[in-house]
Each structure stands twice: as structure tokens, then as C-alpha cells.
């Protein structure tokens, strides 16, 4: 593969991977917040059901 | 494509006989897996932080990359072999574990990315490569491998 | 004597509400432990490469002192995170950890690794003071690097082993094993 193509692939795929992984982590953090809410209701904006 | 047959095969293979019967062997393999993870982490971080210009600035980036590549590959091979052995003990359970699949996808994509894009690109003199390509390559590499590691630890929790 | 003192200390830690809270919360404990593992990747990763350089197995064309010096900062950042999360993990499960053979071996190895690191650092300082940075590391430095590799690998391995309950106090163990693990109550029962 040519260098220019590799550079473009490197940039495009890196951005894509970073984006996907960011979403992956955010869903995990969401899980944590949910657990904290269930364990310590005071943390929550709303009362847990 | 259903991959369950691979896990069913692994579950009845001689590896599974060993990993299930001898808890001690399983534990030692797991420890080797963890030590290799540290080596992999070192190789990844040093290569990528150098690409970002954050460490070893007085050592040429090409020298850093070429030195770390073989340690990265060695660590990856040990981790893959020990990983297959560990998987054999809980093969069917893993098949139904979401985090396991997240890790496997991250691992496969990450490995393909390293060997087919990162390394061929870094074979060129680094100063001739687009700066943003280098930076993004480094950041995505750190993010990918640390996510693979974390999701691996998380398999045990889920 | 020491066993009783350690157990009392662990029970005192255990009496804190936060200790129970971390232990019982699934996600918080898992996050702390995952962070601990990622910090090991940073700290031990840097340490391995430094030790491998001293041994001449990596970066052979770059002076060893330079590698050791440049990688020190990222290594210590990993070390700090590792220690903080490690202490939190101990704080979450103090009694069982205190009575774990593996944890005890780990602490002994940690102390040994600490002494080794201290001696190693002093030697490196000498090298720098004498302007011998470019010279290949002496036999003593290489011995120190090899020792460091093995001690830290031992720390990680015994650390991982804490999760296994093979030698926990509730198991049927010999008196000597109870003593090593610090199973004070079980020892009293045997007597």
C-alpha cells in the first residue's frame, strides 16, 4: 500500500476506533452511575423506582 | 456465522481437561497472562508516547519503535496462548459473555490495525509521515490496548 | 503476637462503613480493581523495559542510564495509581487479605523489591555523578535489574493468587499453615 493511503487509513480508522471505544466506556460509566443510584439514592436526580 | 462449535470443541479438548482438573495450573497460566499484559503495556506506551513526543524525546522515534515491536509481539503471543488455555476452562460460559466478545473484537481489530496499518506506515521515516496520522495512531493504539486489557479483567466480574 | 496485632488492625479497618461499602458495591470494587490492573500495565511495563535495557535485551543502542531516567516519571505515575488503588482494595477486604498467605508473601516481596529499587537508584546516581552514563551497566547493576524483574513478577503473581481460597482460614490446614496465614482463631481451636 502507498504511504498516502496508509496515512489516510491511519487517520480515518483511528478516529473511528476512538469514537467507538468512547461510546463503549460511556455505557460502562452509565452502568456505574445506575448502581451508585440504586445503592445510595442520594446520588440520584430522581428517586430510584 | 455461529462460532459456538469452536467453544464446544474447546470445552471438550485436552486443554479443558487440564485447565478444569488442575486449578493450580490454571492460576499459574493466569499469572503469566497478567505479567505479559504488563510487558505489552510497556511496549505500547513507550512506542506511542514517543510518537506523541512525550517520552524519550532524545531517542529517535524509529529506534524506539523498532526496539519495542518485538517485545509487543512476544507479549501478544504469550497472551494469546495463555488466553486460549484460560478460555478452555470456561469455554461455553464465555460464548455467552458479552464482555468476552467486546474484548475479542477489540483484540482482533487492534492486532490487524497494528500489523497491517501501523507497522507498514511506521516503516517510513517518521518525520516524513503526516503529524496527525502519527498522533491519532498513537492515541488510538493506547486507547485500544488499555480497553482490551480492562474488558479482559471485566470478563471475570460479569 | 504479630498475628493478633495485624488481625486487630484489619478488624478495625473493617469496622469503617466505607470498607463495607466498597466491598459490597459491585461496580465500585470492580472499577478500583480494573484501575489497579491498568496501573500495573503502566508501572510494570515501564519497569520491565528499564530492566530489560539494563540487562542489554532492549534498546541496546541507547545508553541504559538515559532509558532509566526518561522512563522514570511515567513509571512513577503508574506506581502512584497502583499504590492508591491497591490500598483501597486492601481497605475494602482487610481481614481476609491480612489472613491470606499470598498477600503476606506479596508484602514480603514488595519490601524486598523496595530495598532493591533503593539500592539500584543509589547505584544509578553514582553512575550519573561519575559521568559514566554512556558506559554499559556494571555486573552489579545488571544483577539488580534481574532481581527487580523477578521480585516484581512475584508481586504480581502472588497478588493475583489472593483471589484463590486454597489456603483460607476456613479450610482444613496444618497448624504451621494457620500460623503463616495468621488464622488466630483457628490456631486457638487446634490448641
Amino acid at each position: 500500500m502507498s504511504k498516502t493511503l496508509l496515512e489516510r487509513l491511519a487517520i480515518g480508522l483511528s478516529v473511528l476506533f476512538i469514537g467507538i471505544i468512547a461510546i463503549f466506556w460511556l455505557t460502562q460509566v452509565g452502568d456505574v452511575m445506575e448502581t451508585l443510584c440504586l445503592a445510595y439514592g442520594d446520588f440520584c436526580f430522581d428517586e430510584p423506582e | 456465522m455461529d462460532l459456538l462449535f469452536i467453544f464446544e470443541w474447546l470445552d471438550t479438548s485436552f486443554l479443558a481437561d487440564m485447565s478444569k482438573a488442575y486449578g493450580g495450573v490454571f492460576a499459574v497460566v493466569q499469572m503469566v497472562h497478567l505479567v505479559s499484559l504488563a510487558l505489552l503495556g510497556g511496549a505500547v506506551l513507550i512506542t506511542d508516547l514517543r510518537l506523541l513526543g512525550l517520552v524519550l524525546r532524545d531517542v529517535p522515534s524509529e529506534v524506539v519503535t523498532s526496539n519495542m515491536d518485538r517485545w509487543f509481539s512476544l507479549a501478544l503471543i504469550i497472551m494469546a496462548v495463555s488466553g486460549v488455555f484460560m478460555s478452555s476452562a470456561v469455554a461455553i460460559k464465555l460464548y455467552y459473555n458479552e464482555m468476552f466478545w467486546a474484548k475479542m473484537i477489540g483484540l482482533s481489530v487492534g492486532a490487524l490495525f497494528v500489523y497491517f496499518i501501523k507497522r507498514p506506515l511506521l516503516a517510513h521515516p517518521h518525520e516524513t509521515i503526516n503529524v496527525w496520522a502519527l498522533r491519532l495512531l498513537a492515541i488510538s493504539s493506547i486507547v485500544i490496548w488499555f480497553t482490551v486489557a480492562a474488558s479482559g479483567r471485566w470478563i471475570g466480574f460479569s | 503476637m504479630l498475628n493478633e496485632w495485624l488481625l486487630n488492625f484489619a478488624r478495625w479497618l473493617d469496622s469503617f462503613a466505607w470498607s463495607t461499602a466498597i466491598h459490597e458495591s459491585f461496580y465500585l470494587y470492580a472499577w478500583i480493581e480494573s484501575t489497579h490492573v491498568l496501573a500495573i500495565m503502566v508501572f510494570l511495563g515501564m519497569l520491565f523495559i528499564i530492566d530489560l535495557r539494563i540487562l542489554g535485551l532492549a534498546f541496546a543502542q541507547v545508553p541504559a542510564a538515559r532509558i532509566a531516567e526518561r522512563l522514570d516519571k511515567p513509571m512513577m505515575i503508574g506506581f502512584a495509581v497502583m499504590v492508591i488503588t491497591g490500598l483501597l482494595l486492601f481497605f475494602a477486604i482487610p481481614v481476609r487479605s491480612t489472613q491470606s498467605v499470598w498477600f503476606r508473601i506479596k508484602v514480603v516481596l514488595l519490601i524486598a523489591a523496595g530495598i532493591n529499587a533503593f539500592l539500584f537508584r543509589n547505584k544509578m546516581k553514582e553512575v550519573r555523578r561519575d559521568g559514566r552514563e554512556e558506559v554499559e551497566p556494571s555486573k552489579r547493576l545488571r544483577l539488580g535489574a534481574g532481581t527487580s524483574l523477578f521480585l516484581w513478577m512475584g508481586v504480581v503473581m502472588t497478588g493475583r493468587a489472593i483471589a484463590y481460597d486454597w489456603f483460607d482460614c476456613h479450610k482444613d490446614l496444618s497448624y504451621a499453615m494457620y500460623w503463616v496465614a495468621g488464622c488466630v482463631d483457628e490456631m486457638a481451636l487446634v490448641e
Side-chain angles (χ1 to χ4, degrees):
Chain A
M1 268 191 283
S2 79
K3 192 168 141 245
T4 330
L5 180 60
L6 282 172
E7 279 176 341
R8 282 190 195 151
L9 278 172
I11 294 174
L13 289 173
S14 289
V15 171
L16 180 71
F17 294 155
I18 294 169
I20 292 174
I21 290 175
I23 294 169
F24 172 78
W25 280 108
L26 284 175
T27 60
Q28 300 304 313
V29 175
D31 277 351
V32 177
M33 290 312 290
E34 197 179 39
T35 316
L36 285 174
C37 282
L38 292 173
Y40 313 98
D42 312 345
F43 276 66
C44 298
F45 304 109
D46 302 307
E47 281 296 304
E49 290 181 34
Chain B
M1 187 173 61
D2 195 357
L3 295 173
L4 183 59
F5 73 96
I6 298 176
F7 293 82
E8 282 171 346
W9 170 80
L10 193 58
D11 187 50
T12 52
S13 69
F14 81 99
L15 277 182
D17 295 340
M18 203 153 65
S19 60
K20 284 176 193 171
Y22 305 103
V25 176
F26 180 86
V28 170
V29 173
Q30 195 175 43
M31 292 168 191
V32 172
H33 196 71
L34 189 56
V35 169
S36 315
L37 174 70
L39 182 60
L40 184 116
V44 166
L45 275 178
I46 293 171
T47 309
D48 295 331
L49 291 178
R50 176 63 188 90
L51 287 177
L52 291 168
L54 293 173
V55 293
L56 289 171
R57 255 173 296 196
D58 45 2
V59 180
S61 183
E62 289 86 351
V63 172
V64 175
T65 306
S66 68
N67 269 288
M68 289 298 93
D69 277 359
R70 75 192 81 155
W71 291 105
F72 173 86
S73 297
L74 177 71
L76 196 62
I77 291 168
I78 301 175
M79 294 201 75
V81 174
S82 54
V84 170
F85 181 84
M86 283 156 67
S87 305
S88 75
V90 283
I92 304 298
K93 209 171 126 191
L94 283 180
Y95 177 79
Y96 295 102
N97 185 313
E98 256 179 51
M99 203 44 96
F100 172 76
W101 288 106
K103 173 174 175 168
M104 285 307 114
I105 293 167
L107 174 63
S108 326
V109 172
L112 289 173
F113 192 53
V114 167
Y115 290 102
F116 290 103
I117 296 185
K118 191 179 179 193
R119 287 201 183 176
L121 181 60
L122 292 181
H124 297 276
H126 293 189
E127 56 189 73
T128 66
I129 302 171
N130 179 305
V131 175
W132 279 103
L134 289 180
R135 284 183 192 153
L136 285 166
L137 209 51
I139 296 171
S140 66
S141 163
I142 294 175
V143 168
I144 289 172
W145 294 108
F146 274 75
T147 302
V148 170
S151 52
R153 183 63 197 89
W154 213 272
I155 293 171
F157 293 132
S158 47
Chain C
M1 188 43 199
L2 181 63
N3 271 333
E4 276 93 12
W5 188 85
L6 288 171
L7 185 59
N8 283 336
F9 176 67
R11 283 190 174 141
W12 175 70
L13 286 180
D14 199 39
S15 65
F16 284 86
W18 261 100
S19 168
T20 318
I22 299 175
H23 183 137
E24 286 183 352
S25 86
F26 170 73
Y27 280 108
L28 191 54
Y29 187 82
W31 272 85
I32 296 173
E33 188 159 285
S34 301
T35 310
H36 193 62
V37 173
L38 296 186
I40 288 173
M41 260 175 106
V42 178
F43 166 71
L44 220 62
M46 297 290 166
L47 182 111
F48 278 174
I49 302 300
I50 293 174
D51 286 343
L52 288 172
R53 171 56 193 97
I54 305 284
L55 291 169
L57 296 169
F59 284 116
Q61 61 276 65
V62 185
R66 196 189 297 176
I67 297 289
E69 206 177 306
R70 301 292 186 274
L71 296 183
D72 192 57
K73 208 170 166 190
M75 179 174 82
M76 293 318 277
I77 294 173
F79 183 75
V81 178
M82 190 178 76
V83 170
I84 294 168
T85 48
L87 288 174
L88 281 173
L89 289 174
F90 177 73
F91 178 61
I93 309 182
V95 176
R96 183 175 176 266
S97 304
T98 305
Q99 295 188 321
S100 157
V101 182
W102 300 112
F103 181 77
R104 290 174 168 222
I105 302 173
K106 174 174 175 161
V107 171
V108 172
L109 290 173
L110 265 176
I111 294 169
I115 296 170
N116 185 59
F118 177 75
L119 296 174
F120 184 84
R121 266 167 189 268
N122 278 351
K123 264 271 163 244
M124 282 309 257
K125 250 186 233 159
E126 252 174 58
V127 167
R128 230 165 289 142
R129 197 192 54 213
D130 303 345
R132 284 188 283 117
E133 280 108 325
E134 308 285 322
V135 185
E136 267 310 281
S138 62
K139 209 172 165 191
R140 219 179 122 186
L141 267 173
R142 275 181 280 149
L143 190 68
T147 312
S148 151
L149 266 180
F150 276 102
L151 286 175
W152 282 107
M153 270 162 45
V155 170
V156 172
M157 289 176 154
T158 47
R160 187 64 195 76
I162 298 171
Y164 292 98
D165 66 352
W166 307 319
F167 302 113
D168 273 16
C169 287
H170 63 83
K171 300 266 165 151
D172 201 12
L173 306 172
S174 68
Y175 186 81
M177 208 56 206
Y178 280 141
W179 179 76
V180 175
C183 306
V184 175
D185 297 342
E186 288 74 7
M187 279 162 76
L189 282 178
V190 173
E191 275 161 355

